[in-house]
Amino acid sequence: MRTPVVMTLGMVLAPCALLLNLTSTLAPGWRLVKGFLNEPVDVVLYQGLWDMCREQSSRERECGQTDKWGYFAATPVVVARGLMVTSLAATALGLLLASFGVRCWQDEPRFLLAGVSGVVLFLAGLLSLIPVSWYNHFLADRAVLPAPGSPVTVEVSYSLVLGYLGSCLLLLGGFSLALSFAPWCEEYCYRSHKKPAGSPRRPSISTVHVDWPQPALTPAIKYYSDGQHRPRPAEFGATDRPKVGFPMPRPPPKAYTNPEDVIDGETVTDSQGASSRSTRPCHSSLPCDSDL
C-alpha cells in the first residue's frame, strides 16, 4: 500500500518545523536594537531568549553581553522560554509517534497512531505560536520589554520570523497527520455496526420473512419443484375426482368353443384330407355366418 499523501505531507513539514523552532529558540535574534548614543552608527544589539550579542560591521559578533535593562526578567521572555522548550519536546514526541504510525517500511500504516501524532504536533505548533505572537505584540513596548529610550530603535529580528514559520509548519503538518483519523473512524464504525457471525440477525425491511400460503399443486409439480426430493405422484394415492360424461358400451368378449383353436373364418383340414370352414357361435347381438 502506498503511503497516503496526508501522512507524507505531515512527515515532511514536521521535521522542517522542528529545525526552524530549534534555531529560533537558541539563536539570539528575537529583537534588534540599534541607534545607541555615544556608539558607532553600525553597532547593533541582538536580543534573544538566552543571550544578547553585540555586532559591528568592522568587528566580529560578541555574545554574552550584560543585561543592563532587565530584559531577561521580562514576562514575555520568561514565558517564551518555557513554551518554546515545551514545544520542542512535544514536536520530538509527535515525530516519534508519527514514525511508528506511518510505518513506510510496512504495507499498512497505523492510522490511529498517526492521527494521535498529528494532534500532538498541532498542539506543539500552538505552544510555539503563542510566545512568538506575544513577544511580537510587545516588541516596541519598552515598559514590557525593557530597552533604552530614544533615539534607540527596536526591530523584528530573524529568530522571530523563524519562529513564525516553524509554528505554521507545525500546524499544517499536525493537521495533515490528524486526517489519518478518517480511515480509522470508518473502519471502526464498520466493525461496530457489523454483528458477529453467531449472533441473531436483527430483522429489517429487507429481511422480513413472509409465510406465503403454498398453492395446491399436482403431485407431479410438487415432485419436480425447487429441486427438492418429494414423494412420487404414485405415493399420494388416487385422487377422488368426479367423472364427467356417460359410460360407453363395450362389446362382450368373444368366447370360442372351437376345439381346434382356430380363428373364425380359417379353413380346417381333418385327418382324411377334407377341409371345412370354422364358424363362431351365433349371438343375438352380432351377425351370424348364416346371415352373411
Side-chain angles (χ1 to χ4, degrees), residues 31-39 43-48 51-55 62 64-78 81 135 139 141-154:
R31 188 171 70 167
L32 175 64
V33 183
K34 63 181 181 179
F36 295 98
L37 293 176
N38 303 324
E39 293 284 349
V43 173
V44 294
L45 186 66
Y46 291 97
Q47 295 178 332
D51 197 6
M52 286 191 298
C53 297
R54 184 177 182 273
E55 185 177 355
E62 299 176 359
Q65 301 293 317
T66 58
D67 183 14
K68 303 177 182 179
W69 310 285
Y71 167 80
F72 291 123
T75 303
V77 177
V78 175
R81 287 178 177 178
Y135 188 97
L139 180 69
D141 192 349
R142 289 175 169 81
V144 179
L145 290 174
S150 183
V152 176
T153 59
V154 294

Side-chain angles (χ1 to χ4, degrees), residues 105-143:
W105 60 90
Q106 296 289 339
D107 294 335
E108 291 290 336
R110 297 179 180 177
F111 292 102
L112 178 60
L113 193 57
V116 172
S117 67
V119 174
V120 174
L121 291 175
F122 191 85
L123 294 177
L126 290 178
L127 289 176
S128 61
L129 184 62
I130 291 173
V132 170
S133 302
W134 191 16
Y135 188 97
N136 186 43
H137 179 71
F138 293 106
L139 180 69
D141 192 349
R142 289 175 169 81

Side-chain angles (χ1 to χ4, degrees), residues 47-202:
Q47 295 178 332
L49 298 180
W50 314 93
D51 197 6
M52 286 191 298
C53 297
R54 184 177 182 273
E55 185 177 355
Q56 189 176 359
S57 59
S58 59
R59 297 183 181 179
E60 296 180 356
R61 175 178 294 190
E62 299 176 359
C63 296
Q65 301 293 317
T66 58
D67 183 14
K68 303 177 182 179
W69 310 285
Y71 167 80
F72 291 123
T75 303
V77 177
V78 175
V79 173
R81 287 178 177 178
L83 290 181
M84 291 300 292
V85 173
T86 306
S87 175
L88 292 174
T91 304
L93 177 62
L95 283 175
L96 181 62
L97 294 177
S99 300
F100 289 104
V102 175
R103 296 197 310 173
C104 300
W105 60 90
Q106 296 289 339
D107 294 335
E108 291 290 336
R110 297 179 180 177
F111 292 102
L112 178 60
L113 193 57
V116 172
S117 67
V119 174
V120 174
L121 291 175
F122 191 85
L123 294 177
L126 290 178
L127 289 176
S128 61
L129 184 62
I130 291 173
V132 170
S133 302
W134 191 16
Y135 188 97
N136 186 43
H137 179 71
F138 293 106
L139 180 69
D141 192 349
R142 289 175 169 81
V144 179
L145 290 174
S150 183
V152 176
T153 59
V154 294
E155 299 176 1
V156 175
S157 189
Y158 62 91
S159 293
L160 204 60
V161 178
L162 295 179
Y164 269 117
L165 291 177
S167 302
C168 294
L169 291 182
L170 270 181
L171 293 176
L172 292 176
F175 178 76
S176 181
L177 281 172
L179 294 178
S180 302
F181 278 122
W184 176 81
C185 291
E186 182 179 358
E187 183 181 358
Y188 177 78
C189 294
Y190 174 77
R191 288 184 299 178
S192 61
H193 286 83
K194 185 178 179 182
K195 296 295 182 181
S199 62
R201 188 175 181 182
R202 184 178 60 181

